[in-house]
Amino acid sequence: MILLPPELRFALRANAINAQVAEAKGERLDPVPVIKLFNPLGAATWLATELYEDGDTLFGLADLGFGCPELGVFSLSEIASVRLPFGLGIERDIGFEGRFKLSVWAAWSRRAGSIIHAQSLLRRVAPGTDPSDEIGPPPDASGNG
């Protein structure tokens, strides 16, 4: 599987350029993640919003499965070079739809302990509502809250 097809590469580059323009104006861009990469045999998950000019450095939310997702940069070539058992590698979630801004993903992922748990919680958010307006912690994954 191609991790970064041309249309996603273009969208990530456009976000990076728009972020530079916003920064030059003293503003902050908070785009919706364009791509989700994941380890099919583990908990590691990455949500990327930008691809830097070098064509390898991605910016977004990284969750290596230790319970502390972090915003930052990561290398596409390093992720693509990971070799897992059974001939597997890191994959792209082809069904991923980044409905929410990266700041929302980051807040909910940190509170839920992972991108995966945050995704299951955010799927429950009604269309048209803003999960960043939620008061208090998000409901727990069991739906009791």
Side-chain angles (χ1 to χ4, degrees):
M1 168 188 285
I2 297 172
L3 286 181
L4 199 53
E7 65 275 8
L8 296 179
R9 181 176 293 274
F10 179 81
L12 289 164
R13 281 296 302 135
N15 279 347
I17 292 165
N18 288 333
Q20 287 178 325
V21 170
E23 188 176 320
K25 294 179 181 178
E27 300 169 0
R28 187 176 143 263
L29 186 69
D30 188 15
V32 170
V34 172
I35 186 172
K36 175 185 169 191
L37 303 172
F38 68 97
N39 177 341
L41 300 177
T45 308
W46 299 264
L47 298 178
T49 57
E50 299 169 37
L51 176 65
Y52 292 174
E53 194 171 354
D54 64 9
D56 182 56
T57 306
L58 294 163
F59 177 81
L61 185 63
D63 177 3
L64 300 181
F66 303 119
C68 52
E70 292 293 329
L71 289 171
V73 295
F74 37 94
S75 168
L76 177 62
S77 62
E78 284 184 25
I79 291 171
S81 71
V82 171
R83 295 296 163 243
L84 301 167
F86 313 112
L88 297 173
I90 302 302
E91 297 184 15
R92 175 172 44 92
D93 182 344
I94 59 173
F96 175 72
E97 293 180 22
R99 288 178 30 206
F100 306 104
K101 294 183 179 207
L102 186 61
S103 62
V104 171
W105 278 102
W108 279 63
S109 295
R110 289 175 181 145
R111 289 160 55 188
S114 74
I115 291 173
I116 295 168
H117 288 115
Q119 185 172 17
S120 71
L121 295 170
L122 287 168
R123 281 187 184 134
R124 299 178 188 167
V125 174
T129 59
D130 183 356
S132 61
D133 291 340
E134 291 289 321
I135 297 174
D140 63 38
S142 67
N144 298 325

